[in-house]
Amino acid sequence: IALASTGAKTVENVVVTDILPAGFEIENPRLNAMPNMAWIKDAATADHQDFRDDRVNFFVTATAKPKHFYYMVRAVSPGEFVMGPVSADAMYDGEYHSYHGSGVVIVEKR
């Protein structure tokens, strides 16, 4: 997930939420060791993160320089799933928000 504010504006107290469709589970890094993924080179650190069964929340400050956040999911059921957009909302200023990236994911059993 990439996040950047428009212009040179810094927006504090932003929550970035990605809700997963049925058929997926989030791998909680607090419960399981994550493998080393050498291809991740620009990962930002959130001020706080909240992992749930069906969603992840990153609490951050948005800046003009893009920040990239990564997490791992597991496909638990084959099928065609509709993904909603990732949302970014300034918690104390409704003027700042973004919703982007919806689509369809197909999981095939091998």
Side-chain angles (χ1 to χ4, degrees):
I1 298 173
L3 174 71
S5 64
T6 56
K9 181 83 174 161
T10 295
V11 182
E12 296 180 345
N13 301 308
V14 175
V15 60
V16 177
T17 302
D18 192 9
I19 301 175
L20 297 178
F24 292 88
E25 291 179 352
I26 293 175
E27 289 290 332
N28 189 336
R30 294 182 181 127
L31 300 177
N32 300 318
M34 294 291 110
N36 182 16
M37 291 176 266
W39 54 270
I40 297 176
K41 301 205 182 302
D42 59 350
T45 302
D47 298 328
H48 179 73
Q49 51 192 7
D50 178 35
F51 294 94
R52 301 293 172 114
D53 290 339
D54 67 339
R55 71 191 68 208
V56 61
N57 296 304
F58 295 109
F59 298 87
V60 301
T61 297
T63 61
K65 180 181 178 189
K67 295 180 180 180
H68 297 87
F69 302 95
Y70 298 88
Y71 67 99
M72 189 179 307
V73 300
R74 175 190 327 210
V76 294
S77 300
E80 185 172 316
F81 304 98
V82 177
M83 293 178 48
V86 174
S87 66
D89 297 285
M91 293 186 288
Y92 305 110
D93 189 345
E95 180 180 339
Y96 300 104
H97 59 274
S98 175
Y99 308 100
H100 184 74
S102 61
V104 175
V105 175
I106 299 171
V107 176
E108 296 177 349
K109 189 174 183 177
R110 289 187 180 217

mmCIF file of all heavy atoms in Angstrom, residues 37-80:
data_model
loop_
_atom_site.group_PDB
_atom_site.id
_atom_site.type_symbol
_atom_site.label_atom_id
_atom_site.label_comp_id
_atom_site.label_asym_id
_atom_site.label_seq_id
_atom_site.Cartn_x
_atom_site.Cartn_y
_atom_site.Cartn_z
ATOM 1 N N MET A 37 11.809 -11.130 2.991
ATOM 2 C CA MET A 37 11.427 -10.836 1.618
ATOM 3 C C MET A 37 12.372 -9.770 1.099
ATOM 4 O O MET A 37 12.139 -8.574 1.286
ATOM 5 C CB MET A 37 9.973 -10.402 1.564
ATOM 6 C CG MET A 37 9.027 -11.553 1.876
ATOM 7 S SD MET A 37 7.323 -11.055 1.920
ATOM 8 C CE MET A 37 7.143 -10.738 3.665
ATOM 9 N N ALA A 38 13.455 -10.203 0.474
ATOM 10 C CA ALA A 38 14.527 -9.310 0.054
ATOM 11 C C ALA A 38 14.059 -8.245 -0.937
ATOM 12 O O ALA A 38 14.693 -7.202 -1.062
ATOM 13 C CB ALA A 38 15.667 -10.124 -0.544
ATOM 14 N N TRP A 39 12.974 -8.468 -1.632
ATOM 15 C CA TRP A 39 12.487 -7.511 -2.620
ATOM 16 C C TRP A 39 11.864 -6.271 -1.974
ATOM 17 O O TRP A 39 11.679 -5.250 -2.624
ATOM 18 C CB TRP A 39 11.486 -8.164 -3.564
ATOM 19 C CG TRP A 39 10.356 -8.846 -2.883
ATOM 20 C CD1 TRP A 39 10.312 -10.148 -2.482
ATOM 21 C CD2 TRP A 39 9.097 -8.276 -2.512
ATOM 22 N NE1 TRP A 39 9.102 -10.417 -1.878
ATOM 23 C CE2 TRP A 39 8.341 -9.284 -1.887
ATOM 24 C CE3 TRP A 39 8.540 -7.012 -2.655
ATOM 25 C CZ2 TRP A 39 7.059 -9.058 -1.396
ATOM 26 C CZ3 TRP A 39 7.263 -6.792 -2.169
ATOM 27 C CH2 TRP A 39 6.543 -7.820 -1.554
ATOM 28 N N ILE A 40 11.572 -6.324 -0.677
ATOM 29 C CA ILE A 40 11.035 -5.149 0.024
ATOM 30 C C ILE A 40 12.214 -4.296 0.475
ATOM 31 O O ILE A 40 12.972 -4.687 1.342
ATOM 32 C CB ILE A 40 10.169 -5.559 1.232
ATOM 33 C CG1 ILE A 40 8.955 -6.353 0.774
ATOM 34 C CG2 ILE A 40 9.754 -4.321 2.012
ATOM 35 C CD1 ILE A 40 8.103 -6.871 1.906
ATOM 36 N N LYS A 41 12.349 -3.123 -0.126
ATOM 37 C CA LYS A 41 13.491 -2.263 0.188
ATOM 38 C C LYS A 41 13.089 -0.898 0.716
ATOM 39 O O LYS A 41 13.899 -0.161 1.216
ATOM 40 C CB LYS A 41 14.360 -2.093 -1.045
ATOM 41 C CG LYS A 41 14.882 -3.403 -1.596
ATOM 42 C CD LYS A 41 16.146 -3.226 -2.370
ATOM 43 C CE LYS A 41 16.656 -4.504 -2.968
ATOM 44 N NZ LYS A 41 16.919 -5.580 -2.086
ATOM 45 N N ASP A 42 11.844 -0.533 0.597
ATOM 46 C CA ASP A 42 11.432 0.819 0.966
ATOM 47 C C ASP A 42 10.257 0.828 1.947
ATOM 48 O O ASP A 42 9.437 1.726 1.917
ATOM 49 C CB ASP A 42 11.070 1.608 -0.288
ATOM 50 C CG ASP A 42 9.939 0.947 -1.076
ATOM 51 O OD1 ASP A 42 9.575 -0.202 -0.762
ATOM 52 O OD2 ASP A 42 9.405 1.589 -1.997
ATOM 53 N N ALA A 43 10.190 -0.151 2.812
ATOM 54 C CA ALA A 43 9.052 -0.265 3.729
ATOM 55 C C ALA A 43 9.078 0.844 4.773
ATOM 56 O O ALA A 43 10.100 1.101 5.399
ATOM 57 C CB ALA A 43 9.062 -1.620 4.416
ATOM 58 N N ALA A 44 7.947 1.517 4.938
ATOM 59 C CA ALA A 44 7.792 2.532 5.975
ATOM 60 C C ALA A 44 7.304 1.848 7.248
ATOM 61 O O ALA A 44 6.730 0.755 7.216
ATOM 62 C CB ALA A 44 6.785 3.584 5.518
ATOM 63 N N THR A 45 7.521 2.507 8.348
ATOM 64 C CA THR A 45 7.043 2.006 9.636
ATOM 65 C C THR A 45 5.864 2.865 10.074
ATOM 66 O O THR A 45 5.975 4.095 10.144
ATOM 67 C CB THR A 45 8.157 2.075 10.697
ATOM 68 O OG1 THR A 45 9.272 1.305 10.239
ATOM 69 C CG2 THR A 45 7.682 1.541 12.026
ATOM 70 N N ALA A 46 4.755 2.219 10.366
ATOM 71 C CA ALA A 46 3.574 2.940 10.828
ATOM 72 C C ALA A 46 3.762 3.358 12.284
ATOM 73 O O ALA A 46 4.488 2.710 13.038
ATOM 74 C CB ALA A 46 2.340 2.045 10.697
ATOM 75 N N ASP A 47 3.083 4.439 12.662
ATOM 76 C CA ASP A 47 3.106 4.860 14.067
ATOM 77 C C ASP A 47 2.471 3.780 14.935
ATOM 78 O O ASP A 47 2.902 3.524 16.053
ATOM 79 C CB ASP A 47 2.362 6.177 14.251
ATOM 80 C CG ASP A 47 2.998 7.316 13.464
ATOM 81 O OD1 ASP A 47 4.237 7.298 13.287
ATOM 82 O OD2 ASP A 47 2.260 8.211 13.025
ATOM 83 N N HIS A 48 1.446 3.157 14.400
ATOM 84 C CA HIS A 48 0.756 2.047 15.071
ATOM 85 C C HIS A 48 0.127 1.198 13.977
ATOM 86 O O HIS A 48 -0.272 1.709 12.940
ATOM 87 C CB HIS A 48 -0.318 2.576 16.028
ATOM 88 C CG HIS A 48 -1.077 1.496 16.728
ATOM 89 N ND1 HIS A 48 -0.537 0.739 17.734
ATOM 90 C CD2 HIS A 48 -2.331 1.030 16.542
ATOM 91 C CE1 HIS A 48 -1.433 -0.145 18.145
ATOM 92 N NE2 HIS A 48 -2.527 0.012 17.440
ATOM 93 N N GLN A 49 0.010 -0.104 14.211
ATOM 94 C CA GLN A 49 -0.667 -0.979 13.256
ATOM 95 C C GLN A 49 -1.578 -1.925 14.011
ATOM 96 O O GLN A 49 -1.280 -2.315 15.139
ATOM 97 C CB GLN A 49 0.320 -1.724 12.376
ATOM 98 C CG GLN A 49 1.408 -2.437 13.111
ATOM 99 C CD GLN A 49 2.507 -2.914 12.183
ATOM 100 O OE1 GLN A 49 2.525 -2.596 11.007
ATOM 101 N NE2 GLN A 49 3.423 -3.686 12.715
ATOM 102 N N ASP A 50 -2.684 -2.261 13.380
ATOM 103 C CA ASP A 50 -3.700 -3.105 13.999
ATOM 104 C C ASP A 50 -4.083 -4.181 12.992
ATOM 105 O O ASP A 50 -4.588 -3.874 11.909
ATOM 106 C CB ASP A 50 -4.914 -2.244 14.360
ATOM 107 C CG ASP A 50 -6.049 -3.028 14.960
ATOM 108 O OD1 ASP A 50 -5.780 -3.998 15.703
ATOM 109 O OD2 ASP A 50 -7.221 -2.684 14.705
ATOM 110 N N PHE A 51 -3.798 -5.434 13.327
ATOM 111 C CA PHE A 51 -4.113 -6.553 12.451
ATOM 112 C C PHE A 51 -5.338 -7.278 12.992
ATOM 113 O O PHE A 51 -5.357 -7.682 14.153
ATOM 114 C CB PHE A 51 -2.936 -7.532 12.369
ATOM 115 C CG PHE A 51 -1.739 -6.949 11.697
ATOM 116 C CD1 PHE A 51 -0.731 -6.355 12.437
ATOM 117 C CD2 PHE A 51 -1.614 -6.976 10.318
ATOM 118 C CE1 PHE A 51 0.371 -5.806 11.812
ATOM 119 C CE2 PHE A 51 -0.512 -6.434 9.689
ATOM 120 C CZ PHE A 51 0.475 -5.840 10.440
ATOM 121 N N ARG A 52 -6.341 -7.436 12.165
ATOM 122 C CA ARG A 52 -7.559 -8.165 12.508
ATOM 123 C C ARG A 52 -7.676 -9.345 11.552
ATOM 124 O O ARG A 52 -6.895 -9.505 10.637
ATOM 125 C CB ARG A 52 -8.786 -7.247 12.374
ATOM 126 C CG ARG A 52 -8.735 -6.018 13.244
ATOM 127 C CD ARG A 52 -8.828 -6.389 14.708
ATOM 128 N NE ARG A 52 -8.600 -5.258 15.581
ATOM 129 C CZ ARG A 52 -9.517 -4.747 16.370
ATOM 130 N NH1 ARG A 52 -10.742 -5.233 16.364
ATOM 131 N NH2 ARG A 52 -9.212 -3.740 17.157
ATOM 132 N N ASP A 53 -8.689 -10.181 11.753
ATOM 133 C CA ASP A 53 -8.883 -11.327 10.864
ATOM 134 C C ASP A 53 -9.134 -10.902 9.422
ATOM 135 O O ASP A 53 -8.664 -11.540 8.490
ATOM 136 C CB ASP A 53 -10.063 -12.178 11.333
ATOM 137 C CG ASP A 53 -9.779 -12.916 12.625
ATOM 138 O OD1 ASP A 53 -8.588 -13.106 12.952
ATOM 139 O OD2 ASP A 53 -10.737 -13.290 13.311
ATOM 140 N N ASP A 54 -9.884 -9.826 9.234
ATOM 141 C CA ASP A 54 -10.311 -9.441 7.890
ATOM 142 C C ASP A 54 -9.784 -8.094 7.418
ATOM 143 O O ASP A 54 -10.142 -7.631 6.352
ATOM 144 C CB ASP A 54 -11.834 -9.408 7.830
ATOM 145 C CG ASP A 54 -12.433 -8.305 8.691
ATOM 146 O OD1 ASP A 54 -11.750 -7.832 9.623
ATOM 147 O OD2 ASP A 54 -13.584 -7.913 8.423
ATOM 148 N N ARG A 55 -8.937 -7.452 8.218
ATOM 149 C CA ARG A 55 -8.466 -6.122 7.822
ATOM 150 C C ARG A 55 -7.173 -5.767 8.534
ATOM 151 O O ARG A 55 -6.828 -6.340 9.558
ATOM 152 C CB ARG A 55 -9.505 -5.051 8.115
ATOM 153 C CG ARG A 55 -9.673 -4.761 9.600
ATOM 154 C CD ARG A 55 -10.868 -3.893 9.895
ATOM 155 N NE ARG A 55 -12.064 -4.643 9.599
ATOM 156 C CZ ARG A 55 -13.212 -4.111 9.226
ATOM 157 N NH1 ARG A 55 -13.333 -2.803 9.157
ATOM 158 N NH2 ARG A 55 -14.248 -4.846 8.950
ATOM 159 N N VAL A 56 -6.492 -4.794 7.958
ATOM 160 C CA VAL A 56 -5.297 -4.230 8.579
ATOM 161 C C VAL A 56 -5.473 -2.722 8.599
ATOM 162 O O VAL A 56 -6.022 -2.133 7.663
ATOM 163 C CB VAL A 56 -4.002 -4.647 7.840
ATOM 164 C CG1 VAL A 56 -3.986 -4.166 6.411
ATOM 165 C CG2 VAL A 56 -2.770 -4.164 8.574
ATOM 166 N N ASN A 57 -5.075 -2.106 9.710
ATOM 167 C CA ASN A 57 -5.103 -0.656 9.849
ATOM 168 C C ASN A 57 -3.690 -0.166 10.135
ATOM 169 O O ASN A 57 -3.032 -0.687 11.041
ATOM 170 C CB ASN A 57 -6.004 -0.225 11.006
ATOM 171 C CG ASN A 57 -7.445 -0.585 10.788
ATOM 172 O OD1 ASN A 57 -8.043 -0.207 9.801
ATOM 173 N ND2 ASN A 57 -8.019 -1.333 11.714
ATOM 174 N N PHE A 58 -3.246 0.816 9.369
ATOM 175 C CA PHE A 58 -1.972 1.476 9.626
ATOM 176 C C PHE A 58 -2.282 2.916 10.041
ATOM 177 O O PHE A 58 -3.002 3.619 9.327
ATOM 178 C CB PHE A 58 -1.091 1.504 8.364
ATOM 179 C CG PHE A 58 -0.665 0.147 7.893
ATOM 180 C CD1 PHE A 58 -1.198 -0.388 6.739
ATOM 181 C CD2 PHE A 58 0.262 -0.599 8.598
ATOM 182 C CE1 PHE A 58 -0.803 -1.639 6.278
ATOM 183 C CE2 PHE A 58 0.665 -1.851 8.147
ATOM 184 C CZ PHE A 58 0.131 -2.367 6.993
ATOM 185 N N PHE A 59 -1.765 3.342 11.169
ATOM 186 C CA PHE A 59 -1.965 4.700 11.657
ATOM 187 C C PHE A 59 -0.671 5.465 11.392
ATOM 188 O O PHE A 59 0.389 5.111 11.926
ATOM 189 C CB PHE A 59 -2.327 4.685 13.140
ATOM 190 C CG PHE A 59 -3.607 3.952 13.408
ATOM 191 C CD1 PHE A 59 -3.607 2.583 13.617
ATOM 192 C CD2 PHE A 59 -4.818 4.626 13.427
ATOM 193 C CE1 PHE A 59 -4.791 1.891 13.855
ATOM 194 C CE2 PHE A 59 -6.007 3.941 13.663
ATOM 195 C CZ PHE A 59 -5.992 2.572 13.873
ATOM 196 N N VAL A 60 -0.744 6.511 10.560
ATOM 197 C CA VAL A 60 0.459 7.152 10.024
ATOM 198 C C VAL A 60 0.266 8.657 9.881
ATOM 199 O O VAL A 60 -0.831 9.182 10.049
ATOM 200 C CB VAL A 60 0.822 6.556 8.650
ATOM 201 C CG1 VAL A 60 1.067 5.066 8.739
ATOM 202 C CG2 VAL A 60 -0.268 6.834 7.634
ATOM 203 N N THR A 61 1.347 9.319 9.495
ATOM 204 C CA THR A 61 1.322 10.707 9.045
ATOM 205 C C THR A 61 1.619 10.690 7.555
ATOM 206 O O THR A 61 2.623 10.127 7.126
ATOM 207 C CB THR A 61 2.372 11.549 9.786
ATOM 208 O OG1 THR A 61 2.051 11.558 11.178
ATOM 209 C CG2 THR A 61 2.400 12.976 9.267
ATOM 210 N N ALA A 62 0.723 11.276 6.775
ATOM 211 C CA ALA A 62 0.920 11.337 5.322
ATOM 212 C C ALA A 62 1.796 12.535 4.991
ATOM 213 O O ALA A 62 1.576 13.642 5.491
ATOM 214 C CB ALA A 62 -0.422 11.449 4.611
ATOM 215 N N THR A 63 2.800 12.309 4.161
ATOM 216 C CA THR A 63 3.701 13.373 3.708
ATOM 217 C C THR A 63 3.754 13.361 2.188
ATOM 218 O O THR A 63 3.260 12.425 1.555
ATOM 219 C CB THR A 63 5.122 13.161 4.274
ATOM 220 O OG1 THR A 63 5.616 11.900 3.799
ATOM 221 C CG2 THR A 63 5.128 13.171 5.798
ATOM 222 N N ALA A 64 4.383 14.376 1.616
ATOM 223 C CA ALA A 64 4.499 14.429 0.156
ATOM 224 C C ALA A 64 5.366 13.295 -0.380
ATOM 225 O O ALA A 64 5.173 12.845 -1.504
ATOM 226 C CB ALA A 64 5.074 15.780 -0.270
ATOM 227 N N LYS A 65 6.300 12.816 0.434
ATOM 228 C CA LYS A 65 7.129 11.674 0.026
ATOM 229 C C LYS A 65 6.314 10.397 0.245
ATOM 230 O O LYS A 65 5.844 10.137 1.348
ATOM 231 C CB LYS A 65 8.413 11.625 0.848
ATOM 232 C CG LYS A 65 9.302 10.467 0.471
ATOM 233 C CD LYS A 65 10.552 10.423 1.316
ATOM 234 C CE LYS A 65 11.373 9.211 0.920
ATOM 235 N NZ LYS A 65 12.485 8.999 1.841
ATOM 236 N N PRO A 66 6.151 9.578 -0.792
ATOM 237 C CA PRO A 66 5.354 8.349 -0.640
ATOM 238 C C PRO A 66 5.929 7.401 0.406
ATOM 239 O O PRO A 66 7.143 7.250 0.530
ATOM 240 C CB PRO A 66 5.419 7.707 -2.025
ATOM 241 C CG PRO A 66 5.752 8.816 -2.954
ATOM 242 C CD PRO A 66 6.623 9.756 -2.169
ATOM 243 N N LYS A 67 5.013 6.791 1.157
ATOM 244 C CA LYS A 67 5.369 5.758 2.124
ATOM 245 C C LYS A 67 4.737 4.460 1.654
ATOM 246 O O LYS A 67 3.605 4.451 1.165
ATOM 247 C CB LYS A 67 4.839 6.111 3.516
ATOM 248 C CG LYS A 67 5.466 7.349 4.104
ATOM 249 C CD LYS A 67 4.907 7.646 5.480
ATOM 250 C CE LYS A 67 5.554 8.890 6.054
ATOM 251 N NZ LYS A 67 5.034 9.191 7.396
ATOM 252 N N HIS A 68 5.471 3.351 1.802
ATOM 253 C CA HIS A 68 4.983 2.045 1.356
ATOM 254 C C HIS A 68 4.853 1.114 2.559
ATOM 255 O O HIS A 68 5.792 0.979 3.345
ATOM 256 C CB HIS A 68 5.946 1.444 0.326
ATOM 257 C CG HIS A 68 6.036 2.271 -0.908
ATOM 258 N ND1 HIS A 68 6.916 3.320 -1.049
ATOM 259 C CD2 HIS A 68 5.337 2.225 -2.064
ATOM 260 C CE1 HIS A 68 6.763 3.870 -2.232
ATOM 261 N NE2 HIS A 68 5.806 3.224 -2.869
ATOM 262 N N PHE A 69 3.690 0.484 2.666
ATOM 263 C CA PHE A 69 3.405 -0.438 3.757
ATOM 264 C C PHE A 69 3.105 -1.813 3.170
ATOM 265 O O PHE A 69 2.417 -1.931 2.160
ATOM 266 C CB PHE A 69 2.208 0.059 4.579
ATOM 267 C CG PHE A 69 2.430 1.431 5.143
ATOM 268 C CD1 PHE A 69 1.966 2.553 4.484
ATOM 269 C CD2 PHE A 69 3.135 1.599 6.320
ATOM 270 C CE1 PHE A 69 2.187 3.820 4.986
ATOM 271 C CE2 PHE A 69 3.373 2.859 6.837
ATOM 272 C CZ PHE A 69 2.892 3.978 6.168
ATOM 273 N N TYR A 70 3.629 -2.843 3.824
ATOM 274 C CA TYR A 70 3.484 -4.214 3.331
ATOM 275 C C TYR A 70 2.913 -5.099 4.429
ATOM 276 O O TYR A 70 3.195 -4.893 5.608
ATOM 277 C CB TYR A 70 4.855 -4.776 2.923
ATOM 278 C CG TYR A 70 5.514 -4.016 1.807
ATOM 279 C CD1 TYR A 70 6.317 -2.911 2.071
ATOM 280 C CD2 TYR A 70 5.350 -4.409 0.485
ATOM 281 C CE1 TYR A 70 6.922 -2.209 1.040
ATOM 282 C CE2 TYR A 70 5.968 -3.718 -0.545
ATOM 283 C CZ TYR A 70 6.743 -2.613 -0.254
ATOM 284 O OH TYR A 70 7.345 -1.934 -1.275
ATOM 285 N N TYR A 71 2.141 -6.076 4.018
ATOM 286 C CA TYR A 71 1.690 -7.119 4.930
ATOM 287 C C TYR A 71 1.400 -8.360 4.108
ATOM 288 O O TYR A 71 1.301 -8.299 2.883
ATOM 289 C CB TYR A 71 0.475 -6.676 5.758
ATOM 290 C CG TYR A 71 -0.782 -6.458 4.961
ATOM 291 C CD1 TYR A 71 -1.752 -7.455 4.909
ATOM 292 C CD2 TYR A 71 -1.009 -5.276 4.272
ATOM 293 C CE1 TYR A 71 -2.902 -7.269 4.184
ATOM 294 C CE2 TYR A 71 -2.165 -5.084 3.551
ATOM 295 C CZ TYR A 71 -3.111 -6.082 3.513
ATOM 296 O OH TYR A 71 -4.258 -5.900 2.791
ATOM 297 N N MET A 72 1.296 -9.482 4.782
ATOM 298 C CA MET A 72 1.136 -10.750 4.081
ATOM 299 C C MET A 72 -0.256 -11.324 4.356
ATOM 300 O O MET A 72 -0.747 -11.244 5.479
ATOM 301 C CB MET A 72 2.200 -11.745 4.555
ATOM 302 C CG MET A 72 2.242 -13.006 3.737
ATOM 303 S SD MET A 72 3.509 -14.172 4.274
ATOM 304 C CE MET A 72 4.963 -13.165 4.281
ATOM 305 N N VAL A 73 -0.854 -11.896 3.307
ATOM 306 C CA VAL A 73 -2.147 -12.572 3.449
ATOM 307 C C VAL A 73 -2.014 -14.009 2.975
ATOM 308 O O VAL A 73 -1.097 -14.348 2.232
ATOM 309 C CB VAL A 73 -3.279 -11.865 2.662
ATOM 310 C CG1 VAL A 73 -3.464 -10.449 3.142
ATOM 311 C CG2 VAL A 73 -3.042 -11.902 1.183
ATOM 312 N N ARG A 74 -2.946 -14.817 3.425
ATOM 313 C CA ARG A 74 -3.000 -16.219 3.015
ATOM 314 C C ARG A 74 -4.356 -16.463 2.373
ATOM 315 O O ARG A 74 -5.398 -16.079 2.907
ATOM 316 C CB ARG A 74 -2.855 -17.104 4.249
ATOM 317 C CG ARG A 74 -3.008 -18.572 3.966
ATOM 318 C CD ARG A 74 -3.096 -19.383 5.232
ATOM 319 N NE ARG A 74 -2.283 -18.777 6.271
ATOM 320 C CZ ARG A 74 -1.692 -19.434 7.242
ATOM 321 N NH1 ARG A 74 -1.834 -20.738 7.316
ATOM 322 N NH2 ARG A 74 -0.997 -18.830 8.160
ATOM 323 N N ALA A 75 -4.346 -17.107 1.206
ATOM 324 C CA ALA A 75 -5.588 -17.522 0.562
ATOM 325 C C ALA A 75 -6.037 -18.819 1.226
ATOM 326 O O ALA A 75 -5.281 -19.785 1.266
ATOM 327 C CB ALA A 75 -5.381 -17.719 -0.932
ATOM 328 N N VAL A 76 -7.254 -18.825 1.773
ATOM 329 C CA VAL A 76 -7.741 -20.005 2.480
ATOM 330 C C VAL A 76 -8.853 -20.730 1.732
ATOM 331 O O VAL A 76 -9.210 -21.851 2.090
ATOM 332 C CB VAL A 76 -8.218 -19.652 3.913
ATOM 333 C CG1 VAL A 76 -7.043 -19.194 4.756
ATOM 334 C CG2 VAL A 76 -9.308 -18.603 3.893
ATOM 335 N N SER A 77 -9.382 -20.109 0.683
ATOM 336 C CA SER A 77 -10.452 -20.727 -0.103
ATOM 337 C C SER A 77 -10.293 -20.363 -1.569
ATOM 338 O O SER A 77 -10.001 -19.209 -1.885
ATOM 339 C CB SER A 77 -11.826 -20.230 0.353
ATOM 340 O OG SER A 77 -12.055 -20.523 1.700
ATOM 341 N N PRO A 78 -10.484 -21.339 -2.460
ATOM 342 C CA PRO A 78 -10.471 -20.990 -3.883
ATOM 343 C C PRO A 78 -11.764 -20.267 -4.252
ATOM 344 O O PRO A 78 -12.791 -20.414 -3.596
ATOM 345 C CB PRO A 78 -10.378 -22.346 -4.578
ATOM 346 C CG PRO A 78 -10.932 -23.321 -3.594
ATOM 347 C CD PRO A 78 -10.654 -22.766 -2.235
ATOM 348 N N GLY A 79 -11.689 -19.449 -5.290
ATOM 349 C CA GLY A 79 -12.878 -18.755 -5.763
ATOM 350 C C GLY A 79 -12.535 -17.413 -6.369
ATOM 351 O O GLY A 79 -11.379 -17.040 -6.506
ATOM 352 N N GLU A 80 -13.574 -16.689 -6.717
ATOM 353 C CA GLU A 80 -13.436 -15.343 -7.266
ATOM 354 C C GLU A 80 -13.941 -14.366 -6.206
ATOM 355 O O GLU A 80 -15.077 -14.470 -5.760
ATOM 356 C CB GLU A 80 -14.255 -15.207 -8.550
ATOM 357 C CG GLU A 80 -14.063 -13.888 -9.234
ATOM 358 C CD GLU A 80 -14.730 -13.857 -10.593
ATOM 359 O OE1 GLU A 80 -14.613 -14.831 -11.359
ATOM 360 O OE2 GLU A 80 -15.372 -12.835 -10.882
#
